[in-house]
PDB file of all heavy atoms in Angstrom:
ATOM      1  N   VAL A 236      12.213  12.918  30.781  1.00 98.00           N
ATOM      2  CA  VAL A 236      12.520  14.121  31.575  1.00 98.00           C
ATOM      3  C   VAL A 236      13.602  13.815  32.600  1.00 98.00           C
ATOM      4  O   VAL A 236      13.468  12.868  33.385  1.00 98.00           O
ATOM      5  CB  VAL A 236      11.258  14.606  32.339  1.00 98.00           C
ATOM      6  CG1 VAL A 236      11.592  15.821  33.203  1.00 98.00           C
ATOM      7  CG2 VAL A 236      10.143  14.929  31.395  1.00 98.00           C
ATOM      8  N   LEU A 237      14.651  14.607  32.579  1.00 98.00           N
ATOM      9  CA  LEU A 237      15.656  14.551  33.646  1.00 98.00           C
ATOM     10  C   LEU A 237      15.348  15.706  34.587  1.00 98.00           C
ATOM     11  O   LEU A 237      15.352  16.874  34.169  1.00 98.00           O
ATOM     12  CB  LEU A 237      17.053  14.695  33.058  1.00 98.00           C
ATOM     13  CG  LEU A 237      17.532  13.473  32.266  1.00 98.00           C
ATOM     14  CD1 LEU A 237      18.565  13.849  31.239  1.00 98.00           C
ATOM     15  CD2 LEU A 237      18.092  12.434  33.196  1.00 98.00           C
ATOM     16  N   LEU A 238      15.090  15.387  35.839  1.00 98.00           N
ATOM     17  CA  LEU A 238      14.683  16.424  36.799  1.00 98.00           C
ATOM     18  C   LEU A 238      15.874  16.758  37.685  1.00 98.00           C
ATOM     19  O   LEU A 238      16.212  16.012  38.605  1.00 98.00           O
ATOM     20  CB  LEU A 238      13.503  15.906  37.628  1.00 98.00           C
ATOM     21  CG  LEU A 238      12.892  16.878  38.623  1.00 98.00           C
ATOM     22  CD1 LEU A 238      12.314  18.103  37.919  1.00 98.00           C
ATOM     23  CD2 LEU A 238      11.796  16.195  39.437  1.00 98.00           C
ATOM     24  N   ALA A 239      16.542  17.871  37.382  1.00 98.00           N
ATOM     25  CA  ALA A 239      17.801  18.229  38.071  1.00 98.00           C
ATOM     26  C   ALA A 239      17.642  19.611  38.688  1.00 98.00           C
ATOM     27  O   ALA A 239      18.378  20.544  38.348  1.00 98.00           O
ATOM     28  CB  ALA A 239      18.954  18.203  37.075  1.00 98.00           C
ATOM     29  N   THR A 240      16.665  19.758  39.576  1.00 98.00           N
ATOM     30  CA  THR A 240      16.272  21.094  40.020  1.00 98.00           C
ATOM     31  C   THR A 240      16.884  21.524  41.365  1.00 98.00           C
ATOM     32  O   THR A 240      16.540  22.582  41.877  1.00 98.00           O
ATOM     33  CB  THR A 240      14.736  21.203  40.064  1.00 98.00           C
ATOM     34  OG1 THR A 240      14.200  20.013  40.636  1.00 98.00           O
ATOM     35  CG2 THR A 240      14.165  21.367  38.676  1.00 98.00           C
ATOM     36  N   GLY A 241      17.771  20.711  41.935  1.00 97.00           N
ATOM     37  CA  GLY A 241      18.504  21.166  43.121  1.00 97.00           C
ATOM     38  C   GLY A 241      17.705  21.072  44.413  1.00 97.00           C
ATOM     39  O   GLY A 241      16.499  20.786  44.411  1.00 97.00           O
ATOM     40  N   HIS A 242      18.417  21.348  45.538  1.00 97.00           N
ATOM     41  CA  HIS A 242      17.780  21.128  46.850  1.00 97.00           C
ATOM     42  C   HIS A 242      16.854  22.259  47.286  1.00 97.00           C
ATOM     43  O   HIS A 242      16.186  22.177  48.304  1.00 97.00           O
ATOM     44  CB  HIS A 242      18.827  20.849  47.919  1.00 97.00           C
ATOM     45  CG  HIS A 242      19.858  21.925  48.108  1.00 97.00           C
ATOM     46  ND1 HIS A 242      19.614  23.253  47.900  1.00 97.00           N
ATOM     47  CD2 HIS A 242      21.149  21.843  48.514  1.00 97.00           C
ATOM     48  CE1 HIS A 242      20.697  23.952  48.177  1.00 97.00           C
ATOM     49  NE2 HIS A 242      21.653  23.116  48.533  1.00 97.00           N
ATOM     50  N   SER A 243      16.841  23.363  46.526  1.00 97.00           N
ATOM     51  CA  SER A 243      16.072  24.514  46.997  1.00 97.00           C
ATOM     52  C   SER A 243      14.762  24.742  46.253  1.00 97.00           C
ATOM     53  O   SER A 243      14.036  25.682  46.565  1.00 97.00           O
ATOM     54  CB  SER A 243      16.942  25.775  46.902  1.00 97.00           C
ATOM     55  OG  SER A 243      17.930  25.730  47.903  1.00 97.00           O
ATOM     56  N   ALA A 244      14.471  23.892  45.264  1.00 98.00           N
ATOM     57  CA  ALA A 244      13.249  24.084  44.463  1.00 98.00           C
ATOM     58  C   ALA A 244      12.064  23.446  45.190  1.00 98.00           C
ATOM     59  O   ALA A 244      11.578  22.376  44.816  1.00 98.00           O
ATOM     60  CB  ALA A 244      13.444  23.485  43.076  1.00 98.00           C
ATOM     61  N   ARG A 245      11.600  24.148  46.210  1.00 97.00           N
ATOM     62  CA  ARG A 245      10.507  23.598  47.017  1.00 97.00           C
ATOM     63  C   ARG A 245       9.243  23.437  46.191  1.00 97.00           C
ATOM     64  O   ARG A 245       8.446  22.525  46.411  1.00 97.00           O
ATOM     65  CB  ARG A 245      10.255  24.507  48.221  1.00 97.00           C
ATOM     66  CG  ARG A 245      11.395  24.434  49.210  1.00 97.00           C
ATOM     67  CD  ARG A 245      11.289  25.440  50.317  1.00 97.00           C
ATOM     68  NE  ARG A 245      12.344  25.197  51.297  1.00 97.00           N
ATOM     69  CZ  ARG A 245      12.721  26.058  52.212  1.00 97.00           C
ATOM     70  NH1 ARG A 245      12.141  27.238  52.290  1.00 97.00           N
ATOM     71  NH2 ARG A 245      13.676  25.750  53.067  1.00 97.00           N
ATOM     72  N   ASP A 246       9.050  24.351  45.213  1.00 97.00           N
ATOM     73  CA  ASP A 246       7.852  24.252  44.376  1.00 97.00           C
ATOM     74  C   ASP A 246       7.856  22.974  43.541  1.00 97.00           C
ATOM     75  O   ASP A 246       6.803  22.425  43.233  1.00 97.00           O
ATOM     76  CB  ASP A 246       7.712  25.496  43.483  1.00 97.00           C
ATOM     77  CG  ASP A 246       8.987  25.877  42.743  1.00 97.00           C
ATOM     78  OD1 ASP A 246      10.036  25.248  43.001  1.00 97.00           O
ATOM     79  OD2 ASP A 246       8.941  26.794  41.906  1.00 97.00           O
ATOM     80  N   VAL A 247       9.044  22.474  43.211  1.00 98.00           N
ATOM     81  CA  VAL A 247       9.109  21.233  42.422  1.00 98.00           C
ATOM     82  C   VAL A 247       8.620  20.047  43.268  1.00 98.00           C
ATOM     83  O   VAL A 247       7.903  19.178  42.770  1.00 98.00           O
ATOM     84  CB  VAL A 247      10.545  21.003  41.899  1.00 98.00           C
ATOM     85  CG1 VAL A 247      10.691  19.620  41.265  1.00 98.00           C
ATOM     86  CG2 VAL A 247      10.902  22.086  40.883  1.00 98.00           C
ATOM     87  N   PHE A 248       8.975  20.042  44.541  1.00 98.00           N
ATOM     88  CA  PHE A 248       8.478  18.962  45.400  1.00 98.00           C
ATOM     89  C   PHE A 248       6.947  19.032  45.494  1.00 98.00           C
ATOM     90  O   PHE A 248       6.260  18.010  45.469  1.00 98.00           O
ATOM     91  CB  PHE A 248       9.111  19.035  46.800  1.00 98.00           C
ATOM     92  CG  PHE A 248      10.629  18.949  46.777  1.00 98.00           C
ATOM     93  CD1 PHE A 248      11.407  19.863  47.464  1.00 98.00           C
ATOM     94  CD2 PHE A 248      11.262  17.949  46.046  1.00 98.00           C
ATOM     95  CE1 PHE A 248      12.798  19.789  47.441  1.00 98.00           C
ATOM     96  CE2 PHE A 248      12.654  17.864  46.014  1.00 98.00           C
ATOM     97  CZ  PHE A 248      13.427  18.788  46.707  1.00 98.00           C
ATOM     98  N   GLU A 249       6.420  20.255  45.572  1.00 97.00           N
ATOM     99  CA  GLU A 249       4.951  20.435  45.605  1.00 97.00           C
ATOM    100  C   GLU A 249       4.322  19.930  44.295  1.00 97.00           C
ATOM    101  O   GLU A 249       3.272  19.304  44.301  1.00 97.00           O
ATOM    102  CB  GLU A 249       4.587  21.927  45.758  1.00 97.00           C
ATOM    103  CG  GLU A 249       5.168  22.620  46.973  1.00 97.00           C
ATOM    104  CD  GLU A 249       4.319  22.446  48.220  1.00 97.00           C
ATOM    105  OE1 GLU A 249       3.273  21.793  48.122  1.00 97.00           O
ATOM    106  OE2 GLU A 249       4.733  22.965  49.281  1.00 97.00           O
ATOM    107  N   MET A 250       4.994  20.226  43.179  1.00 97.00           N
ATOM    108  CA  MET A 250       4.473  19.810  41.869  1.00 97.00           C
ATOM    109  C   MET A 250       4.416  18.293  41.765  1.00 97.00           C
ATOM    110  O   MET A 250       3.474  17.725  41.208  1.00 97.00           O
ATOM    111  CB  MET A 250       5.399  20.322  40.746  1.00 97.00           C
ATOM    112  CG  MET A 250       5.223  21.783  40.415  1.00 97.00           C
ATOM    113  SD  MET A 250       6.703  22.448  39.616  1.00 97.00           S
ATOM    114  CE  MET A 250       7.037  21.262  38.371  1.00 97.00           C
ATOM    115  N   LEU A 251       5.449  17.648  42.276  1.00 97.00           N
ATOM    116  CA  LEU A 251       5.478  16.178  42.228  1.00 97.00           C
ATOM    117  C   LEU A 251       4.336  15.615  43.066  1.00 97.00           C
ATOM    118  O   LEU A 251       3.609  14.707  42.629  1.00 97.00           O
ATOM    119  CB  LEU A 251       6.828  15.660  42.746  1.00 97.00           C
ATOM    120  CG  LEU A 251       8.035  15.950  41.842  1.00 97.00           C
ATOM    121  CD1 LEU A 251       9.343  15.788  42.610  1.00 97.00           C
ATOM    122  CD2 LEU A 251       8.033  15.034  40.616  1.00 97.00           C
ATOM    123  N   ALA A 252       4.172  16.190  44.258  1.00 96.00           N
ATOM    124  CA  ALA A 252       3.083  15.711  45.126  1.00 96.00           C
ATOM    125  C   ALA A 252       1.734  15.943  44.456  1.00 96.00           C
ATOM    126  O   ALA A 252       0.845  15.077  44.490  1.00 96.00           O
ATOM    127  CB  ALA A 252       3.157  16.415  46.481  1.00 96.00           C
ATOM    128  N   ALA A 253       1.584  17.107  43.786  1.00 96.00           N
ATOM    129  CA  ALA A 253       0.300  17.421  43.128  1.00 96.00           C
ATOM    130  C   ALA A 253       0.007  16.430  41.991  1.00 96.00           C
ATOM    131  O   ALA A 253      -1.149  16.139  41.703  1.00 96.00           O
ATOM    132  CB  ALA A 253       0.335  18.849  42.583  1.00 96.00           C
ATOM    133  N   ALA A 254       1.078  15.909  41.356  1.00 96.00           N
ATOM    134  CA  ALA A 254       0.875  14.933  40.277  1.00 96.00           C
ATOM    135  C   ALA A 254       0.843  13.494  40.828  1.00 96.00           C
ATOM    136  O   ALA A 254       0.925  12.537  40.064  1.00 96.00           O
ATOM    137  CB  ALA A 254       1.987  15.069  39.239  1.00 96.00           C
ATOM    138  N   HIS A 255       0.744  13.372  42.157  1.00 96.00           N
ATOM    139  CA  HIS A 255       0.703  12.066  42.835  1.00 96.00           C
ATOM    140  C   HIS A 255       1.935  11.227  42.514  1.00 96.00           C
ATOM    141  O   HIS A 255       1.850  10.019  42.299  1.00 96.00           O
ATOM    142  CB  HIS A 255      -0.583  11.306  42.483  1.00 96.00           C
ATOM    143  CG  HIS A 255      -1.815  12.106  42.803  1.00 96.00           C
ATOM    144  ND1 HIS A 255      -2.228  12.340  44.090  1.00 96.00           N
ATOM    145  CD2 HIS A 255      -2.669  12.762  41.996  1.00 96.00           C
ATOM    146  CE1 HIS A 255      -3.293  13.116  44.067  1.00 96.00           C
ATOM    147  NE2 HIS A 255      -3.586  13.396  42.805  1.00 96.00           N
ATOM    148  N   ILE A 256       3.069  11.871  42.444  1.00 97.00           N
ATOM    149  CA  ILE A 256       4.336  11.172  42.232  1.00 97.00           C
ATOM    150  C   ILE A 256       5.027  11.054  43.588  1.00 97.00           C
ATOM    151  O   ILE A 256       5.242  12.061  44.276  1.00 97.00           O
ATOM    152  CB  ILE A 256       5.225  11.932  41.220  1.00 97.00           C
ATOM    153  CG1 ILE A 256       4.508  11.972  39.858  1.00 97.00           C
ATOM    154  CG2 ILE A 256       6.600  11.282  41.097  1.00 97.00           C
ATOM    155  CD1 ILE A 256       5.156  12.858  38.822  1.00 97.00           C
ATOM    156  N   TYR A 257       5.356   9.828  43.969  1.00 96.00           N
ATOM    157  CA  TYR A 257       5.821   9.555  45.324  1.00 96.00           C
ATOM    158  C   TYR A 257       7.168  10.234  45.619  1.00 96.00           C
ATOM    159  O   TYR A 257       8.115  10.119  44.852  1.00 96.00           O
ATOM    160  CB  TYR A 257       5.948   8.034  45.526  1.00 96.00           C
ATOM    161  CG  TYR A 257       6.485   7.670  46.887  1.00 96.00           C
ATOM    162  CD1 TYR A 257       5.675   7.766  48.019  1.00 96.00           C
ATOM    163  CD2 TYR A 257       7.802   7.266  47.053  1.00 96.00           C
ATOM    164  CE1 TYR A 257       6.174   7.460  49.275  1.00 96.00           C
ATOM    165  CE2 TYR A 257       8.312   6.964  48.298  1.00 96.00           C
ATOM    166  CZ  TYR A 257       7.486   7.066  49.406  1.00 96.00           C
ATOM    167  OH  TYR A 257       7.990   6.773  50.646  1.00 96.00           O
ATOM    168  N   ILE A 258       7.242  10.947  46.737  1.00 97.00           N
ATOM    169  CA  ILE A 258       8.503  11.500  47.247  1.00 97.00           C
ATOM    170  C   ILE A 258       8.550  11.204  48.745  1.00 97.00           C
ATOM    171  O   ILE A 258       7.515  10.879  49.344  1.00 97.00           O
ATOM    172  CB  ILE A 258       8.614  13.039  47.021  1.00 97.00           C
ATOM    173  CG1 ILE A 258       7.378  13.762  47.580  1.00 97.00           C
ATOM    174  CG2 ILE A 258       8.806  13.356  45.547  1.00 97.00           C
ATOM    175  CD1 ILE A 258       7.471  15.290  47.508  1.00 97.00           C
ATOM    176  N   GLU A 259       9.725  11.313  49.339  1.00 95.00           N
ATOM    177  CA  GLU A 259       9.813  11.002  50.774  1.00 95.00           C
ATOM    178  C   GLU A 259      10.745  11.984  51.485  1.00 95.00           C
ATOM    179  O   GLU A 259      11.617  12.584  50.844  1.00 95.00           O
ATOM    180  CB  GLU A 259      10.280   9.552  50.969  1.00 95.00           C
ATOM    181  CG  GLU A 259      11.622   9.259  50.346  1.00 95.00           C
ATOM    182  CD  GLU A 259      11.881   7.764  50.129  1.00 95.00           C
ATOM    183  OE1 GLU A 259      10.917   6.976  50.097  1.00 95.00           O
ATOM    184  OE2 GLU A 259      13.057   7.409  49.984  1.00 95.00           O
TER     185      GLU A 259
END
Side-chain angles (χ1 to χ4, degrees):
V236 178
L237 289 155
L238 183 62
T240 43
H242 58 31
S243 288
R245 290 172 174 164
D246 48 354
V247 171
F248 301 131
E249 303 275 359
M250 282 158 49
L251 291 163
H255 304 289
I256 297 171
Y257 177 75
I258 53 175
E259 59 199 20

